[in-house]
Amino acid sequence: QCSSDVHQARYCNQYEPGNENKLGWTLLGHCTGTIAPTGSPIFVDLNEVGSGCPPEYDVDSNYEAGDQVAVLVATDRTIVYECKSWPEGAYCNAGENFAPGSDNSAMGWTLKGFCDGTMAPTAAPVAFTGECDWLNGTAITPIAAWATSDLSSYKSGTRVRKGDQVYKCKSYPYYLWCRSAAYEPAGSGPWGD
């Protein structure tokens, strides 16, 4: 079996099992005889997730904790994975080697079950009302919505949300205007995006 250690697993496509360097592969045991082929793939029993399939996984998309994706594993079988929370969730955007269904998928994705069909669309677009977080390099910091009641607290470096956009108050002397209702965030002036 290809090693579950991500550092050893990279050798599985370079060396055959039982290689003299013992790189990439883990010996699970020995066997004798042959195994007869099955008529069709055998899947582990999984529970159905939701009332339809989420969007298919796309390596070029940006995923966040809780995002669900569908992966077609056979012509009639679609599996659902969910992106884990921070810090494991960072692997959800780490490329093909960590894609759902890959050997390393468990590092960022949780297998949820199978799905069938498509999810019903929402009736109409919904304005963003959730929380917005910013990763400042070491910690997750919540970003509050811009409000006239908070004007006196705005200073250089303050991040605020307006709709689905995040703005940062510029440094001196611009931050003085961040405290004025006349200069609410719009992508220019004292606020940068």
Side-chain angles (χ1 to χ4, degrees):
Q1 166 178 331
C2 186
S3 177
S4 60
D5 178 349
V6 69
H7 302 290
Q8 284 291 321
R10 67 180 180 202
Y11 295 111
C12 292
N13 64 351
Q14 297 174 18
Y15 295 97
E16 292 182 9
N19 66 76
E20 62 186 42
N21 299 316
K22 298 184 178 170
L23 292 172
W25 297 92
T26 303
L27 178 63
L28 298 178
H30 300 280
C31 58
T32 58
T34 61
I35 299 175
T38 60
S40 62
I42 298 172
F43 292 102
V44 176
D45 290 332
L46 296 174
N47 294 323
E48 186 168 6
V49 176
S51 58
C53 293
E56 285 190 33
Y57 172 77
D58 178 6
V59 71
D60 295 322
S61 291
N62 188 22
Y63 296 104
E64 298 177 357
D67 286 350
Q68 290 189 344
V69 296
V71 177
L72 184 66
V73 294
T75 56
D76 62 342
R77 186 76 163 187
T78 304
I79 304 298
V80 177
Y81 288 87
E82 183 174 280
C83 183
K84 294 181 179 180
S85 61
W86 175 261
E88 292 89 356
Y91 286 103
C92 296
N93 300 305
E96 292 178 14
N97 291 334
F98 299 93
S102 71
D103 290 338
N104 301 314
S105 67
M107 295 179 75
W109 297 93
T110 302
L111 176 63
K112 299 302 282 185
F114 76 94
C115 64
D116 187 26
T118 58
M119 291 182 165
T122 57
V126 178
F128 179 77
T129 59
E131 292 185 13
C132 183
D133 294 328
W134 170 64
L135 176 62
N136 70 4
T138 57
I140 296 176
T141 306
I143 298 176
W146 181 86
T148 54
S149 60
D150 295 331
L151 288 174
S152 63
S153 69
Y154 297 152
K155 58 185 179 186
S156 176
T158 300
R159 285 180 167 75
V160 296
R161 176 178 48 84
K162 187 166 181 213
D164 64 351
Q165 298 292 312
V166 175
Y167 298 92
K168 178 180 174 184
C169 183
K170 294 181 181 177
S171 59
Y172 181 84
Y174 300 103
Y175 80 87
L176 298 170
W177 285 280
C178 293
R179 298 177 181 175
S180 171
Y183 291 95
E184 66 181 272
S188 62
W191 295 97
D193 54 332

